[in-house]
Amino acid sequence: MIGFEHLKKISHTSPSKIVFLVIDGVGGLPRPETGKTELESARKPNLDQIAKESICGLIDPVSPGITPGSAPGHLAIFGYDPVKYTVGRGIIAALGIDLELNPEDIAARGNFCTIDNRGIITDRRAGRISTEINTELCQLLNEKITVNGAEILVTPVKEHRFVLILRGEGLSPQLTDSDPQQVGLAPKKVDALSPSAQRTAEIANEFVSRVKSLLQDKAPANMVLLRGFSQHPDIPSMPDIYKLKPAAIAIYPMYRGLAKLVGMQLLPAGDNITDQLKSLHQHYSDYDFFFIHFKATDSRGEDGDFEAKVHAIEEVDAALPNLLNLNPDVLIVTGDHSTPATLAMHSWHPVPFMLRSNWCRFDSVTEFSERACLSGGLGRFAAVEIMPLAMANALKLDKFGA
Amino acid sequence: MIGFEHLKKISHTSPSKIVFLVIDGVGGLPRPETGKTELESARKPNLDQIAKESICGLIDPVSPGITPGSAPGHLAIFGYDPVKYTVGRGIIAALGIDLELNPEDIAARGNFCTIDNRGIITDRRAGRISTEINTELCQLLNEKITVNGAEILVTPVKEHRFVLILRGEGLSPQLTDSDPQQVGLAPKKVDALSPSAQRTAEIANEFVSRVKSLLQDKAPANMVLLRGFSQHPDIPSMPDIYKLKPAAIAIYPMYRGLAKLVGMQLLPAGDNITDQLKSLHQHYSDYDFFFIHFKATDSRGEDGDFEAKVHAIEEVDAALPNLLNLNPDVLIVTGDHSTPATLAMHSWHPVPFMLRSNWCRFDSVTEFSERACLSGGLGRFAAVEIMPLAMANALKLDKFGA
């Protein structure tokens, strides 16, 4: 891909609209009983009709063999090299619960855990305490713990998980984890990875030491483990690179967070794909790029529930007429990675992709599936190439070079 | 692609011949009435016969979604990374009129324009004055304007366009444009983008100021605008990289200029493809690489004239027997970019490609077209890979590594 510095120069604003439907984890694997993947098993007349009018292919979100997390998966399809632009674990956790972050905040992912009387970890998840107990404990920490040099914000996530924010001036995320990632060891001291992080390391260690005193009688949640200290990454925004006015219609906080990270406006998304498409209609004239995120395909894939994933695909398909009636200049349908139900996890398999526009030079693919897209006109390609293709098909890119 | 430093080491001279036929803008899009592209509509038995004996594919001159100008399009198919090796607008303009350039010359693209009595631009093209008036004005500037520190050469192009050459020692092209690219503003001062360009900026501004005095009564052409200050790029030559003795048979100056830039000898080209192939015969024993450039496909595509582009393809095809009778060891047919008549401009769509040699491992493609080449043995690939493929098929490349 040519660099952002070149894309900035050749991108221009125009009235044409790009709609980007991301069916999370849509790629799959054949079920042994039928030899068909989730997409091949679903009844999906609308997706297949789009395939007939599209140029199709298969995307590699990162590169062959690499299974992407949600952050690299989405950054790649938004045009960001997912190896160059990374989002730390702490920031991901904060985005995942819709925390408002300042650019200088340091975020860490936290676990409540259990230590024995010698200080050795016996359970990294504190017996998976309830979210209610977690919430009470976080409130306690927020009330009782103050540390010189930084404001401390502890926000509960589910069960034993929380997010720690250190807020203050001149803090650095160049820190090691306190979480040794196994039982039988003591929590580690947080170390500075650069001299400028020394003070922040002291603050983190001071926090942990106060927590230890405060929770000593709260077993099984009598200690915390911290990892993934990170700061909001410095990512060039989509409006800056592409001169787009982009908006996101995503229900889950993680995807809203990723969208915000790249400069999208967040629009109301309601509770399901039908609500999302209503919102698309309401705001269609105000933006020129829309990211619509559909989650259930990934969730059911991770559950290992093949049938339920098939139904989720059918649910998207059934909602599509209320997208197709807008007839966007460029319509893209793909996923951020594959989540085969037979594997019950994100996977490295390339993801079916289709792009429909008046200028897409459509191919002979007649179905939206892994096998069919293999013979598509785009072949197999890197997900970071999607955005230049979308922009070109929307006639928003000037010629490169004289 | 492996780098030039490696290619230099493994390239060797041999008697085998490579003929590279570039059908400019050959790729297209289906016409709605028939669903067929220009290539699919043309009667082209010779091109189709070559396809049957070739390995086929589709090339991306720059990268997916990026529409190349003629310079990056050609540099890519000659094996140069078109993002790394760029040719400035001024140099392109100079090449386009066959100007002889010294390596240190600074070239700028110029427009005669109209300013009002407050110095505000009212027409960036001076009412598109005739080429005759342009020629007279350029002669006037050449005669009357001298500037300390550089020789000034003003050469007319068509209508309101000219090329300015600043010739002298220690000049720098690190300059901003004087052309504000819109009416209603005054021409801008030329600024130095680096301290070493300060003197050249002063020379350029002095030139503009002299022009303004000299042309004050010559409305509508009473001022000039300059842009794209640039110098002959420092490009490693094809003879140096590949140990080839390459020659170009191109009718239009721009393509002769690009060929010269990469170290090709220019051969007589006559007026049409028949003349070009006669020239190929005459010089066949003196060189081992021939670049033959055919322009009309691109011109008719840019005109938006689908039928005329089809005829241009048929014109090339009809001339081919006088190329095929030479039976070159490697014959490559492709374009530098697509120019779909339905878009009437250069486009980002990948370009059909075929390579015929005794060693090409030919595929099952039986037709030279966008759709047919999609299933070719080379798949979709970056145009910079063509030269190593050409060299390999000519058995001019040694093994890489022991």
Side-chain angles (χ1 to χ4, degrees), chain A residues 1-2 6 359 361 377-378 385 388-389 392-393 395 397 399-402, chain B residues 28-29 62 64-65 67 69-72 83 338 348-350 370 374 380:
Chain A
M1 196 187 80
I2 69 171
H6 297 294
W359 315 107
R361 196 192 267 174
L378 286 165
E385 308 283 7
L389 275 172
N393 276 276
L395 303 183
L397 280 190
K399 200 160 62 171
F400 173 73
Chain B
L29 282 175
V62 181
T67 296
S70 296
V83 178
S338 294
W348 61 92
H349 301 90
E370 297 81 358
L374 193 56
R380 185 167 174 171

Side-chain angles (χ1 to χ4, degrees), chain A residues 250-267:
Chain A
I251 296 172
Y252 285 75
M254 160 84 90
Y255 310 97
R256 285 205 298 271
L258 287 166
K260 212 160 64 177
L261 204 65
V262 297
M264 295 190 200
Q265 288 293 313
L266 304 184
L267 300 181

